[in-house]
């Protein structure tokens, strides 16, 4: 069965559209990178004739990205990348536009989730934009006949990039995809600051509890874990980090956090936050040792970091004790409180708003220039008017990779550094922040191996 556009399903689509529009307009005011690119795209229409299929968290910031791409002339079909993260009003506001169809809806079951992905695929995208790689995976596995017409794709998150890397290594990734997650402008801000701030904010709002004086256990000291640990410590929590990678564990130790195994941390934590991108990080053995009232939240992409099958099997009863908080009562009377059903706590909870707007502006700015790069590379060169616009903004004609006529082969690709720098420049301009330029002498020194003591 195919999913329907959301506006066909809502009781009062007009008021939903209005409410969604308000949220999108607020986000847009704080997204100078996307709006700068939107103006460029409206002028040059680089995506005319392209069909973009998207599977992302459908909320206000994502909507600004969708509209940025639509301004460039693309037809867009979008669904969610998580059953609980869609904001229906935002989805409706997108769907109300002529060249955008949104089939994203909050609270879908597994079949409905995959039906919606199928609806995006049925629009025969020429470009995919994914968060978690469900779309690209499904196209590769189940719709290989579409691949000849696909120019390429972009992937937003670590888990998606890991999945695509594994596909690529197995020779199973049949079209080029940019690892947007891995660029500095995405990873060092979105994963570190975005996940840290928004996860802690959502845990605090959902529980109405403080971090001060509590022991917070952060599982995984990657980019997300670093941000979580730092922000929790900044709110006066005692932070324990668990890891499986010896270098990351040492890094956490040298940052001043206590590092130990999850088994040791289990009886001590008041709040547990997983951010590993792995599975079964907290399991039966750990639940058995936890304190009454412990709060469990996951910030990793999939809902398999806290093993809820194990916890359900241990529990005598499961009760919704607050909106977004499920208490699992164990036979000895201890209650373990799981937030957002073990899904991304900053996106899937009832109060979740995702990352701060400014952070997503950067991530989505990278997405937008990557889509432009894919189209530019697929053509024999960019249209003259787009070339002109880029040269006007950046001066000269040198070195802009969007005009490099790369040919991207099937597989996972790093985002060209020049695109990442372009996004950083737009942001600095918007913030009216000036930085120094290297002199010729400095440039020569920095690039030479001849200078010694
Ligand atoms: P990363 O790869 O930089 O870090 C993950 C860390 O977890 C690594 O250091 C790894 O050694 C560690 N790890 C793996 N298995 C473990 C285990 N069993 N116990 C303890 N540590 C373990 O990844 P990153 O960028 O920090 O992302 C983590 C997850 O968060 C991914 O699923 C990613 O997709 C997701 N993510 C979520 C966001 C959100 O909005 N909530 C935003 C960005 C990423």
């Amino acid at each position: 069965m195919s999913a329907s556009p959301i506006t066909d399903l809502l009781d009062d689509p007009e008021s939903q559209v209005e409410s969604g529009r308000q949220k999108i307009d607020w986000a847009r005011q704080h997204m100078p990178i996307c709006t700068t690119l939107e103006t460029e795209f409206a002028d040059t229409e680089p995506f005319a004739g392209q069909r973009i299929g998207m599977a992302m968290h459908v909320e206000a910031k994502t909507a600004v990205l969708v509209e940025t791409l639509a301004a460039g002339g693309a037809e867009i079909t979008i669904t969610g990348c998580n059953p609980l993260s869609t904001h229906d009003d935002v989805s409706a506001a997108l769907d109300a536009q002529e060249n955008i169809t949104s089939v994203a809806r909050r609270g879908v079951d597994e079949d409905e989730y995959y039906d919606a992905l199928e609806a995006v695929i049925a629009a025969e995208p020429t470009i995919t934009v994914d968060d978690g790689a469900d779309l690209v995976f499904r196209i590769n596995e189940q719709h290989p006949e579409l691949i000849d017409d696909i120019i390429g794709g972009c992937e937003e998150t670590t888990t998606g990039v890991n999945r695509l890397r594994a596909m690529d290594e197995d020779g199973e990734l049949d079209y080029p995809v940019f690892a947007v997650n891995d660029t500095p402008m995405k990873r060092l801000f979105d994963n570190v600051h975005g996940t840290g701030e928004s996860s802690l904010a959502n845990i605090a709002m959902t529980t109405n509890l403080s971090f001060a004086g509590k022991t917070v256990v952060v599982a995984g000291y990657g980019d997300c874990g670093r941000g979580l640990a730092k922000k929790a410590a900044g709110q006066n929590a005692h932070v324990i980090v668990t890891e499986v990678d010896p270098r990351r564990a040492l890094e956490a130790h040298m940052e001043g956090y206590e590092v130990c195994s999850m088994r040791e941390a289990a009886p001590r934590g008041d709040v547990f936050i997983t951010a590993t991108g792995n599975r079964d990080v907290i399991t039966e053995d750990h639940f058995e040792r936890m304190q009454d009232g412990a709060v469990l939240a996951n910030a990793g992409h999939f809902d398999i970091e806290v093993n809820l099958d194990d916890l359900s099997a241990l529990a005598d009863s499961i009760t919704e004790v607050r909106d977004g908080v499920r208490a699992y009562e164990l036979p000895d009377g201890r209650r373990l409180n799981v937030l957002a059903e073990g899904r991304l706590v900053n996106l899937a909870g009832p109060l979740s708003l995702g990352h701060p707007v400014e952070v997503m502006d950067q991530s989505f700015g990278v997405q937008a220039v990557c889509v432009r790069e894919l189209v530019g590379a697929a053509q024999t060169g960019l249209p003259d008017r787009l070339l002109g616009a880029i040269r006007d903004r950046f001066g000269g004609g040198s070195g802009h990779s969007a005009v490099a006529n790369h040919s991207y082969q099937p597989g996972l690709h790093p985002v060209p550094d020049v695109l990442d720098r372009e996004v950083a420049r737009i942001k600095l301009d918007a913030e009216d922040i000036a930085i120094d330029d290297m002199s010729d002498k400095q440039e020569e020194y920095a690039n030479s191996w001849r200078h010694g003591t």
Side-chain angles (χ1 to χ4, degrees), residues 99-322:
N99 53 345
I100 301 171
T101 304
S102 178
V103 293
R105 209 156 44 89
R106 182 181 162 85
V108 289
D109 63 26
E110 200 171 311
D111 286 344
E112 291 168 327
Y113 178 81
Y114 286 108
D115 283 347
L117 276 178
E118 283 298 330
V120 172
I121 294 167
E124 301 188 355
T126 54
I127 295 169
T128 60
V129 180
D130 238 318
D131 185 326
D134 276 349
L135 195 53
V136 62
F137 175 77
R138 205 164 174 93
I139 289 172
N140 268 263
E141 289 295 295
Q142 297 185 17
H143 302 276
E145 73 284 358
L146 297 181
I147 286 172
D148 274 353
D149 289 332
I150 296 183
I151 293 171
C154 301
E155 172 52 49
E156 171 78 7
T157 198
T158 315
T159 285
V161 168
N162 290 344
R163 217 172 158 192
L164 292 169
R165 190 167 289 120
M167 278 174 85
D168 194 12
E169 280 165 10
D170 286 350
E172 297 285 340
L173 179 56
D174 292 334
Y175 64 87
V177 182
F178 278 131
V180 169
N181 176 76
D182 294 358
T183 62
M185 280 297 284
K186 197 277 181 185
R187 195 168 49 82
L188 300 180
F189 300 89
D190 175 312
N191 300 32
V192 178
H193 295 283
T195 308
E197 281 182 29
S198 62
S199 298
L200 293 190
N202 276 288
I203 294 168
M205 283 191 301
T206 307
T207 60
N208 200 203
L209 298 173
S210 167
F211 288 103
K214 295 218 168 49
T215 296
V216 173
V217 179
V218 175
Y221 197 70
D223 290 312
C224 294
R226 276 185 204 109
L228 287 162
K230 183 170 184 165
K231 313 266 170 184
Q235 293 194 40
N236 296 350
H238 172 67
V239 174
I240 297 178
V241 169
T242 72
E243 250 299 344
V244 292
D245 179 322
R247 288 172 300 184
R248 294 267 168 95
L250 266 178
E251 192 189 338
H253 171 68
M254 294 291 274
E255 285 294 329
Y257 305 117
E258 185 178 346
V259 178
C260 66
S261 68
M262 183 56 83
R263 193 157 203 282
E264 287 173 84
R268 298 181 48 208
D270 297 300
V271 180
F272 295 79
I273 313 174
T274 50
T276 70
N278 208 339
R279 60 176 307 145
D280 303 327
V281 179
I282 303 183
T283 58
E284 178 179 355
D285 184 36
H286 309 121
F287 301 133
E288 297 274 23
R289 297 162 64 83
M290 285 182 183
Q291 304 176 48
D292 178 32
V295 169
L296 289 93
N298 167 46
H301 189 77
F302 288 119
D303 60 341
I304 53 176
E305 303 213 11
V306 180
N307 190 322
L308 292 183
D309 290 339
D310 278 6
L311 187 53
S312 303
L314 285 178
D316 275 350
S317 68
I318 304 172
T319 320
E320 196 84 12
V321 286
R322 270 176 78 83

Side-chain angles (χ1 to χ4, degrees), residues 329-367:
E329 186 160 348
L330 306 183
D332 59 10
R334 285 177 302 131
R335 284 151 307 174
L336 305 184
N337 298 303
V338 175
L339 306 193
E341 301 176 26
R343 296 187 184 276
L344 292 155
V345 70
N346 59 330
L347 282 151
L351 302 171
S352 299
L353 294 171
H355 288 356
V357 180
E358 300 91 328
V359 166
M360 291 319 293
D361 189 31
Q362 294 189 191
S363 303
F364 290 157
V366 180
Q367 288 279 10

